[in-house]
Amino acid sequence: MRIAITGSIATDHLMTFPGRFGDQLVADQLHRVSLSFLVDDLQVRRGGCAANISFGMGCLGLSPILVGAVGADFADYRSWLERHGVDCASVHVSETFHTARFLCTTDEEHNQIASFYTGAMAEARLIELQPIADRVGGLDLVLVSPNDPDAMLRHTDEARQRGIPFAADPSQQLARMPGEDIRQLVDGAAYLFGNDYEKGLIEQKTGWSDEEVLGRVGVRVTTLGPKGVVIDRKGEPSLHIPSAPELGKADPTGVGDAFRSGFLAGLAWGLSLERCGQIGNLTATHVLERVGGQEYELRQRVFLERFSAAYGAEAAAEVAQNVRCHYA
Ligand SMILES: Nc1ncnc2c1ncn2[C@@H]1O[C@H](COP(=O)(O)OP(=O)(O)OP(=O)(O)O)[C@@H](O)[C@H]1O
Ligand SMILES: [Mg+2]
């Protein structure tokens, strides 16, 4: 099964300021702010929804096709993703802009000053799916994850027109998109992903009820944080799959993306929706245990042992026939 993962590709530059922003701001001088914070830590994390999701699928042994727009500075990031099995041949490289970047400085009281530079991401709207399908011999599923909103609409339209099944994952872009656009992203999707808050937001903004949304998609996958995931199909009882026990909690950034990596891997292997949800949950747990969205390692033996402990030996045996983790 050939799956294209469209969406954002970005890096996060995270700094810590060992003081308080408030002490540097002079109340009657706010009309001419000129401040420089001497920070004592810089972490650069690879991120972006499509890159995170593709990375996780690569770690499970698949070769997902990453589709998004970056700048000339992408070289290092590209080799990292390729080393983890991601097909980056269809990534569009802008001639003008840098790769999208999130810059955030946090002070000692957890106040934050951040900027998000969209950069090359705006060019994702120029990407056409057909040449990608031609290159790889056809696409079986296209995931439309958070990206330049015009790109999300375009990929969905093109998939619909060409009869390629698509999965809608509007997630954090729901907040800024009008209801009419959200309807276009969701209507006719083979799969719809979101957390429980986003499920409510989709209903509120589209004006469609829970039932109506379900009637317009094949399968609705709603993640519930520590409570796991619920999978709904019209006319069938919902499946609730509890989360996989975590060994520790470091940072939730990227859990939702990792869930999608695991879920889509299960689909690619032709496993049941229950298995897909379980693989998603366990992959997400690995991210929770590390700081950053791509800092985790999947090890074949450990992954299967943990899977078996969480969901039983029989289920683990099905996964074992398919999963080929990046590390032994
Ligand atoms: N505390 C936890 N323990 C175990 N698993 C968790 C925990 N929190 C999240 N997960 C796993 O991660 C999945 C996704 O979590 P969640 O519903 O919070 O996604 P999200 O809100 O989209 O996250 P984000 O957008 O911040 O990445 C859950 O379905 C579950 O499998
Ligand atoms: Mg999310």
Side-chain angles (χ1 to χ4, degrees), residues 82-120:
E82 287 179 344
R83 279 204 302 285
H84 289 87
V86 178
D87 174 342
C88 295
S90 294
V91 170
H92 167 85
V93 182
S94 167
E95 287 178 7
T96 353
F97 300 111
H98 289 284
T99 303
R101 192 172 299 186
F102 177 66
L103 296 163
C104 182
T105 307
T106 306
D107 76 1
E108 63 186 24
E109 288 188 331
H110 297 282
N111 298 298
Q112 298 188 319
I113 296 180
S115 316
F116 184 71
Y117 166 75
T118 324

Short mmCIF file of all heavy atoms in Angstrom, two decimals, residues 82-120:
data_model
loop_
_atom_site.label_atom_id
_atom_site.label_comp_id
_atom_site.label_asym_id
_atom_site.label_seq_id
_atom_site.Cartn_x
_atom_site.Cartn_y
_atom_site.Cartn_z
N GLU A 82 15.59 10.34 5.31
CA GLU A 82 15.89 9.23 4.38
C GLU A 82 16.57 8.09 5.12
O GLU A 82 16.29 6.92 4.84
CB GLU A 82 16.74 9.75 3.20
CG GLU A 82 15.87 10.57 2.25
CD GLU A 82 16.61 11.16 1.06
OE1 GLU A 82 17.87 11.20 1.08
OE2 GLU A 82 15.94 11.60 0.12
N ARG A 83 17.41 8.42 6.07
CA ARG A 83 18.05 7.36 6.87
C ARG A 83 17.01 6.55 7.62
O ARG A 83 17.23 5.41 7.99
CB ARG A 83 19.03 7.97 7.89
CG ARG A 83 20.38 8.32 7.34
CD ARG A 83 21.45 8.34 8.44
NE ARG A 83 21.20 9.24 9.56
CZ ARG A 83 21.34 10.56 9.52
NH1 ARG A 83 21.70 11.15 8.38
NH2 ARG A 83 21.13 11.30 10.58
N HIS A 84 15.85 7.17 7.90
CA HIS A 84 14.79 6.46 8.61
C HIS A 84 13.72 5.92 7.66
O HIS A 84 12.59 5.66 8.07
CB HIS A 84 14.18 7.35 9.70
CG HIS A 84 15.13 7.56 10.85
ND1 HIS A 84 16.07 8.56 10.85
CD2 HIS A 84 15.34 6.85 11.98
CE1 HIS A 84 16.80 8.47 11.96
NE2 HIS A 84 16.38 7.44 12.66
N GLY A 85 14.05 5.83 6.39
CA GLY A 85 13.16 5.13 5.46
C GLY A 85 12.14 5.98 4.74
O GLY A 85 11.31 5.46 3.99
N VAL A 86 12.17 7.31 4.95
CA VAL A 86 11.16 8.17 4.33
C VAL A 86 11.57 8.50 2.89
O VAL A 86 12.72 8.86 2.63
CB VAL A 86 10.98 9.47 5.15
CG1 VAL A 86 9.97 10.40 4.49
CG2 VAL A 86 10.59 9.14 6.59
N ASP A 87 10.62 8.40 1.98
CA ASP A 87 10.83 8.77 0.57
C ASP A 87 10.64 10.29 0.47
O ASP A 87 9.52 10.79 0.61
CB ASP A 87 9.81 8.01 -0.28
CG ASP A 87 9.83 8.40 -1.76
OD1 ASP A 87 10.37 9.47 -2.09
OD2 ASP A 87 9.27 7.64 -2.57
N CYS A 88 11.74 11.02 0.25
CA CYS A 88 11.68 12.49 0.19
C CYS A 88 11.76 13.01 -1.23
O CYS A 88 11.92 14.22 -1.45
CB CYS A 88 12.82 13.11 1.01
SG CYS A 88 12.73 12.76 2.78
N ALA A 89 11.66 12.13 -2.22
CA ALA A 89 11.86 12.54 -3.61
C ALA A 89 10.78 13.50 -4.12
O ALA A 89 11.00 14.20 -5.11
CB ALA A 89 11.95 11.31 -4.51
N SER A 90 9.63 13.54 -3.46
CA SER A 90 8.58 14.45 -3.93
C SER A 90 8.44 15.69 -3.07
O SER A 90 7.46 16.42 -3.18
CB SER A 90 7.25 13.70 -4.00
OG SER A 90 7.31 12.70 -5.00
N VAL A 91 9.43 15.95 -2.22
CA VAL A 91 9.39 17.18 -1.43
C VAL A 91 9.77 18.34 -2.34
O VAL A 91 10.75 18.26 -3.09
CB VAL A 91 10.36 17.06 -0.22
CG1 VAL A 91 10.52 18.41 0.47
CG2 VAL A 91 9.87 16.01 0.76
N HIS A 92 8.98 19.39 -2.30
CA HIS A 92 9.23 20.56 -3.15
C HIS A 92 10.22 21.50 -2.45
O HIS A 92 10.01 21.87 -1.29
CB HIS A 92 7.89 21.28 -3.40
CG HIS A 92 8.03 22.66 -3.98
ND1 HIS A 92 8.16 22.88 -5.33
CD2 HIS A 92 8.08 23.88 -3.38
CE1 HIS A 92 8.27 24.20 -5.54
NE2 HIS A 92 8.22 24.81 -4.37
N VAL A 93 11.29 21.88 -3.17
CA VAL A 93 12.28 22.78 -2.56
C VAL A 93 12.11 24.18 -3.16
O VAL A 93 12.29 24.38 -4.36
CB VAL A 93 13.72 22.26 -2.79
CG1 VAL A 93 14.73 23.20 -2.11
CG2 VAL A 93 13.87 20.84 -2.26
N SER A 94 11.78 25.13 -2.30
CA SER A 94 11.58 26.52 -2.73
C SER A 94 12.91 27.15 -3.13
O SER A 94 13.95 26.88 -2.53
CB SER A 94 10.96 27.32 -1.59
OG SER A 94 11.02 28.70 -1.87
N GLU A 95 12.85 28.01 -4.15
CA GLU A 95 14.07 28.71 -4.54
C GLU A 95 14.21 30.01 -3.77
O GLU A 95 15.26 30.65 -3.82
CB GLU A 95 14.04 28.99 -6.05
CG GLU A 95 14.26 27.71 -6.82
CD GLU A 95 14.19 27.90 -8.33
OE1 GLU A 95 14.09 29.07 -8.78
OE2 GLU A 95 14.23 26.88 -9.03
N THR A 96 13.17 30.42 -3.09
CA THR A 96 13.18 31.74 -2.45
C THR A 96 13.15 31.68 -0.92
O THR A 96 13.76 32.52 -0.27
CB THR A 96 11.92 32.54 -2.89
OG1 THR A 96 11.25 31.83 -3.91
CG2 THR A 96 12.30 33.91 -3.37
N PHE A 97 12.41 30.73 -0.37
CA PHE A 97 12.15 30.79 1.07
C PHE A 97 12.87 29.70 1.86
O PHE A 97 13.20 28.65 1.33
CB PHE A 97 10.64 30.66 1.33
CG PHE A 97 9.84 31.74 0.67
CD1 PHE A 97 9.00 31.45 -0.39
CD2 PHE A 97 9.92 33.06 1.12
CE1 PHE A 97 8.26 32.44 -1.01
CE2 PHE A 97 9.18 34.05 0.50
CZ PHE A 97 8.35 33.75 -0.57
N HIS A 98 13.02 29.95 3.14
CA HIS A 98 13.56 28.95 4.06
C HIS A 98 12.43 28.01 4.49
O HIS A 98 11.26 28.36 4.43
CB HIS A 98 14.12 29.62 5.32
CG HIS A 98 15.38 30.38 5.08
ND1 HIS A 98 16.59 29.76 4.91
CD2 HIS A 98 15.61 31.71 5.00
CE1 HIS A 98 17.52 30.68 4.73
NE2 HIS A 98 16.95 31.87 4.77
N THR A 99 12.85 26.86 5.00
CA THR A 99 11.90 25.91 5.59
C THR A 99 11.18 26.57 6.76
O THR A 99 11.79 27.37 7.50
CB THR A 99 12.68 24.67 6.08
OG1 THR A 99 13.40 24.12 4.99
CG2 THR A 99 11.74 23.62 6.64
N ALA A 100 9.91 26.25 6.93
CA ALA A 100 9.12 26.82 8.03
C ALA A 100 9.84 26.61 9.36
O ALA A 100 10.48 25.57 9.58
CB ALA A 100 7.75 26.15 8.07
N ARG A 101 9.73 27.60 10.24
CA ARG A 101 10.49 27.55 11.48
C ARG A 101 9.69 28.17 12.62
O ARG A 101 9.08 29.23 12.47
CB ARG A 101 11.78 28.36 11.27
CG ARG A 101 12.79 28.20 12.34
CD ARG A 101 14.08 28.87 11.93
NE ARG A 101 14.65 28.30 10.70
CZ ARG A 101 15.83 28.65 10.20
NH1 ARG A 101 16.55 29.58 10.79
NH2 ARG A 101 16.28 28.08 9.10
N PHE A 102 9.70 27.48 13.73
CA PHE A 102 9.05 27.97 14.95
C PHE A 102 10.15 28.37 15.91
O PHE A 102 11.02 27.58 16.24
CB PHE A 102 8.19 26.84 15.54
CG PHE A 102 7.52 27.19 16.84
CD1 PHE A 102 6.53 28.17 16.91
CD2 PHE A 102 7.86 26.51 18.01
CE1 PHE A 102 5.90 28.47 18.11
CE2 PHE A 102 7.23 26.81 19.21
CZ PHE A 102 6.26 27.79 19.26
N LEU A 103 10.14 29.65 16.30
CA LEU A 103 11.18 30.16 17.21
C LEU A 103 10.50 30.52 18.52
O LEU A 103 9.55 31.30 18.53
CB LEU A 103 11.80 31.45 16.63
CG LEU A 103 12.55 31.30 15.32
CD1 LEU A 103 12.74 32.65 14.66
CD2 LEU A 103 13.90 30.64 15.57
N CYS A 104 10.99 29.95 19.60
CA CYS A 104 10.30 30.21 20.86
C CYS A 104 11.30 30.35 21.99
O CYS A 104 12.20 29.52 22.16
CB CYS A 104 9.33 29.05 21.15
SG CYS A 104 8.38 29.30 22.66
N THR A 105 11.16 31.43 22.75
CA THR A 105 11.99 31.62 23.94
C THR A 105 11.07 31.54 25.16
O THR A 105 10.01 32.17 25.20
CB THR A 105 12.69 32.99 23.91
OG1 THR A 105 13.38 33.11 22.66
CG2 THR A 105 13.68 33.13 25.05
N THR A 106 11.50 30.75 26.12
CA THR A 106 10.71 30.55 27.34
C THR A 106 11.51 31.12 28.52
O THR A 106 12.72 30.88 28.60
CB THR A 106 10.47 29.04 27.57
OG1 THR A 106 9.88 28.50 26.38
CG2 THR A 106 9.54 28.78 28.74
N ASP A 107 10.86 31.86 29.38
CA ASP A 107 11.60 32.38 30.54
C ASP A 107 11.44 31.44 31.72
O ASP A 107 10.80 30.38 31.61
CB ASP A 107 11.19 33.84 30.85
CG ASP A 107 9.84 33.96 31.54
OD1 ASP A 107 9.19 32.93 31.81
OD2 ASP A 107 9.42 35.11 31.80
N GLU A 108 12.05 31.81 32.86
CA GLU A 108 12.08 30.86 33.97
C GLU A 108 10.70 30.67 34.61
O GLU A 108 10.51 29.76 35.41
CB GLU A 108 13.13 31.26 35.01
CG GLU A 108 12.84 32.59 35.66
CD GLU A 108 13.98 33.04 36.59
OE1 GLU A 108 15.12 32.61 36.38
OE2 GLU A 108 13.68 33.83 37.51
N GLU A 109 9.74 31.52 34.26
CA GLU A 109 8.39 31.32 34.78
C GLU A 109 7.46 30.70 33.72
O GLU A 109 6.24 30.76 33.85
CB GLU A 109 7.81 32.65 35.27
CG GLU A 109 8.49 33.10 36.55
CD GLU A 109 7.83 34.30 37.18
OE1 GLU A 109 7.23 35.12 36.43
OE2 GLU A 109 7.92 34.42 38.42
N HIS A 110 8.06 30.16 32.67
CA HIS A 110 7.32 29.50 31.58
C HIS A 110 6.50 30.47 30.74
O HIS A 110 5.56 30.06 30.04
CB HIS A 110 6.44 28.35 32.08
CG HIS A 110 7.26 27.25 32.70
ND1 HIS A 110 7.95 26.34 31.96
CD2 HIS A 110 7.55 26.99 33.99
CE1 HIS A 110 8.62 25.54 32.77
NE2 HIS A 110 8.40 25.91 34.01
N ASN A 111 6.81 31.77 30.79
CA ASN A 111 6.21 32.69 29.83
C ASN A 111 6.94 32.45 28.51
O ASN A 111 8.12 32.12 28.51
CB ASN A 111 6.42 34.14 30.27
CG ASN A 111 5.75 34.42 31.59
OD1 ASN A 111 4.53 34.31 31.70
ND2 ASN A 111 6.54 34.74 32.60
N GLN A 112 6.22 32.67 27.41
CA GLN A 112 6.85 32.40 26.11
C GLN A 112 6.67 33.56 25.15
O GLN A 112 5.63 34.20 25.12
CB GLN A 112 6.25 31.14 25.48
CG GLN A 112 6.49 29.90 26.33
CD GLN A 112 6.08 28.62 25.63
OE1 GLN A 112 5.05 28.58 24.96
NE2 GLN A 112 6.88 27.59 25.77
N ILE A 113 7.72 33.80 24.36
CA ILE A 113 7.62 34.72 23.24
C ILE A 113 8.02 33.92 22.02
O ILE A 113 9.12 33.38 21.96
CB ILE A 113 8.55 35.95 23.42
CG1 ILE A 113 8.10 36.76 24.65
CG2 ILE A 113 8.53 36.82 22.17
CD1 ILE A 113 8.94 37.99 24.94
N ALA A 114 7.09 33.80 21.07
CA ALA A 114 7.36 32.90 19.95
C ALA A 114 6.98 33.55 18.63
O ALA A 114 6.18 34.49 18.58
CB ALA A 114 6.56 31.61 20.13
N SER A 115 7.59 33.06 17.57
CA SER A 115 7.21 33.47 16.22
C SER A 115 7.18 32.23 15.35
O SER A 115 8.01 31.34 15.53
CB SER A 115 8.24 34.43 15.61
OG SER A 115 8.63 35.40 16.54
N PHE A 116 6.23 32.21 14.41
CA PHE A 116 6.22 31.10 13.45
C PHE A 116 6.41 31.69 12.06
O PHE A 116 5.63 32.53 11.62
CB PHE A 116 4.92 30.29 13.53
CG PHE A 116 4.94 29.09 12.62
CD1 PHE A 116 5.75 28.01 12.91
CD2 PHE A 116 4.19 29.07 11.46
CE1 PHE A 116 5.80 26.90 12.06
CE2 PHE A 116 4.23 27.97 10.60
CZ PHE A 116 5.04 26.88 10.90
N TYR A 117 7.47 31.24 11.41
CA TYR A 117 7.77 31.69 10.05
C TYR A 117 7.28 30.59 9.11
O TYR A 117 7.73 29.46 9.17
CB TYR A 117 9.28 31.90 9.92
CG TYR A 117 9.78 32.04 8.51
CD1 TYR A 117 9.57 33.23 7.79
CD2 TYR A 117 10.47 31.01 7.89
CE1 TYR A 117 10.04 33.36 6.49
CE2 TYR A 117 10.93 31.14 6.59
CZ TYR A 117 10.72 32.31 5.90
OH TYR A 117 11.17 32.43 4.61
N THR A 118 6.32 30.92 8.26
CA THR A 118 5.73 29.92 7.37
C THR A 118 6.67 29.58 6.23
O THR A 118 6.80 28.42 5.84
CB THR A 118 4.43 30.45 6.74
OG1 THR A 118 3.77 31.24 7.70
CG2 THR A 118 3.54 29.33 6.31
N GLY A 119 7.30 30.62 5.67
CA GLY A 119 8.30 30.41 4.63
C GLY A 119 7.84 29.55 3.48
O GLY A 119 6.76 29.74 2.91
N ALA A 120 8.66 28.56 3.19
CA ALA A 120 8.42 27.70 2.02
C ALA A 120 7.09 26.97 2.06
O ALA A 120 6.56 26.56 1.02
CB ALA A 120 9.56 26.69 1.90
#
